[in-house]
């Protein structure tokens, strides 16, 4: 099947005075056309950095130190300024968590719609822009007349986020990246927005990449999922195959820690704290929190192995002979 984006060996570093933070560590990742793919992980796992890297907008002092991001066979990281300008919004657009900050407080939504489209296509008529905007605002279940005339402060957080979703579709992008698009909103508004996004996906066939910390949302919304931990992709595959049979201990822990998937009695919060990115554990960075860790996990970095059709896992359980021996010794005791 065709991929909109193919990420290869992507590494993003943040050189800080206290040391280097590798926010994304040699990630290989495909975004298949026409599907909803999710990237899930705790905060600091690297999902937002992945999102901004795809649009080459990693915030300073972060930098893409190696890797490739292919779009239609070309490396986006080698695009010149003009090509990059066309790529953003018209090929790949993004909805951030904080819509409040993305909208200009002193301009009406109407003015911002026109400005956004004109920045990419100076010749397009105002009527055409507004027709499209009205259609999209109706799509996100807002009253176009009222919203276009409004300033951002006249809209609720949920309305602003729906405006941002409409904005992200203005230039008919192939891929929309949604970085925690509902995190700041109440639960009912969150469900409402996911309902709208699912409808957009169904009707327009827009490919979506959702970054979220909530694996419950992934189960309901996405078709494919990548799990990130400490800047690494630790498991990736079809949602059904991962939810039926999570092969990475972190993924199964994540699923057991979410109230929306199991009864509250069975909740098992993941033990230990999120890793310190300035001082990552050796070997597998999950080893201090992993109940299945063996001595080899501390010493050796796991590699990505295939455990099923389109299902990849970064854990010694599935590939390392030394791990198997150590496991065997434990069982004999
Ligand atoms: Fe746990 Fe070892 Fe697998 Fe890491 S490699 S997740 S420590 S079993
Ligand atoms: Mg984030």
């Amino acid at each position: 099947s065709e991929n909109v984006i193919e990420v290869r060996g992507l590494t993003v570093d943040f050189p800080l005075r206290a040391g280097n933070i590798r926010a994304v560590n040699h990630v290989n990742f495909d975004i298949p056309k026409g599907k909803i793919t999710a990237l899930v992980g705790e905060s600091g796992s690297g999902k937002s950095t992945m999102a901004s890297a795809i649009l080459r907008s990693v915030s300073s002092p972060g930098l893409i130190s190696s890797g490739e991001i292919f779009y239609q066979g070309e490396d986006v990281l080698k695009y010149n300024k003009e090509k990059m300008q066309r790529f953003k919004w018209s090929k790949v657009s993004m909805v951030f968590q904080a819509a409040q900050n993305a909208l200009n407080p002193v301009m009406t939504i109407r003015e911002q719609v026109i400005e956004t489209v004109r920045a990419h296509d100076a010749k397009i008529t105002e009527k055409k822009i507004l027709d499209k905007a009205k259609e999209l605002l109706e799509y996100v279940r807002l009253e176009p007349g009222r919203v276009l005339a409004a300033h951002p402060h006249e809209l609720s957080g949920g309305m602003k986020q729906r405006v941002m979703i409409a904005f992200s579709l203005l230039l008919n992008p192939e891929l929309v990246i949604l970085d925690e698009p509902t995190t700041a909103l109440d639960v009912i508004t969150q469900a409402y927005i996911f309902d709208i996004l699912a409808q957009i996906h169904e009707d327009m066939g827009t490919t979506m990449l959702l970054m979220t910390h909530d694996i419950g949302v992934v189960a309901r919304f996405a078709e494919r999922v990548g799990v990130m931990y400490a800047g690494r992709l630790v498991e990736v595959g079809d949602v059904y195959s991962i939810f039926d049979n999570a092969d990475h201990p972190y993924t199964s822990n994540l699923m057991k820690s979410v109230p929306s998937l199991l009864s509250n009695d069975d909740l098992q919060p993941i033990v230990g704290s999120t890793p310190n990115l300035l001082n990552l554990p050796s070997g597998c960075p999950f080893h201090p929190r992993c109940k299945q860790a063996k001595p080899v996990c501390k010493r050796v970095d796991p590699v990505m192995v295939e455990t099923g059709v389109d299902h990849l896992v970064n854990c010694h359980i599935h590939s390392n002979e030394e791990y198997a021996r150590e496991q065997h010794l434990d069982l004999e005791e």
Side-chain angles (χ1 to χ4, degrees), residues 2 8 32 37 60 74 102 107 128 133 137 154 156 172 178 192 196 214 223 228 240 249 251 255 261 267 277 291 331:
E2 211 182 320
R8 292 293 173 267
T37 298
S60 169
E74 264 188 281
M107 284 167 79
K128 254 195 164 161
L137 287 169
E154 296 170 84
S156 71
N172 299 315
L178 305 151
Y192 188 61
I196 289 172
D214 185 346
E223 299 163 82
M228 291 194 74
Y240 292 106
T251 310
M255 296 194 316
L261 287 180
L267 279 190
L277 294 173
K291 287 192 189 126
L331 295 174

Side-chain angles (χ1 to χ4, degrees), residues 148-161:
L148 285 170
H151 283 87
H153 71 88
E154 296 170 84
L155 306 171
S156 71
M159 289 169 87
K160 277 186 272 198
Q161 202 58 327

Side-chain angles (χ1 to χ4, degrees), residues 31-37 201 205-209 223-224 238:
I31 305 171
K33 198 181 171 85
K35 287 197 180 179
I36 300 177
T37 298
H201 172 71
T206 313
T207 305
M208 294 180 178
L209 176 66
E223 299 163 82
R224 187 181 151 81
D238 181 84

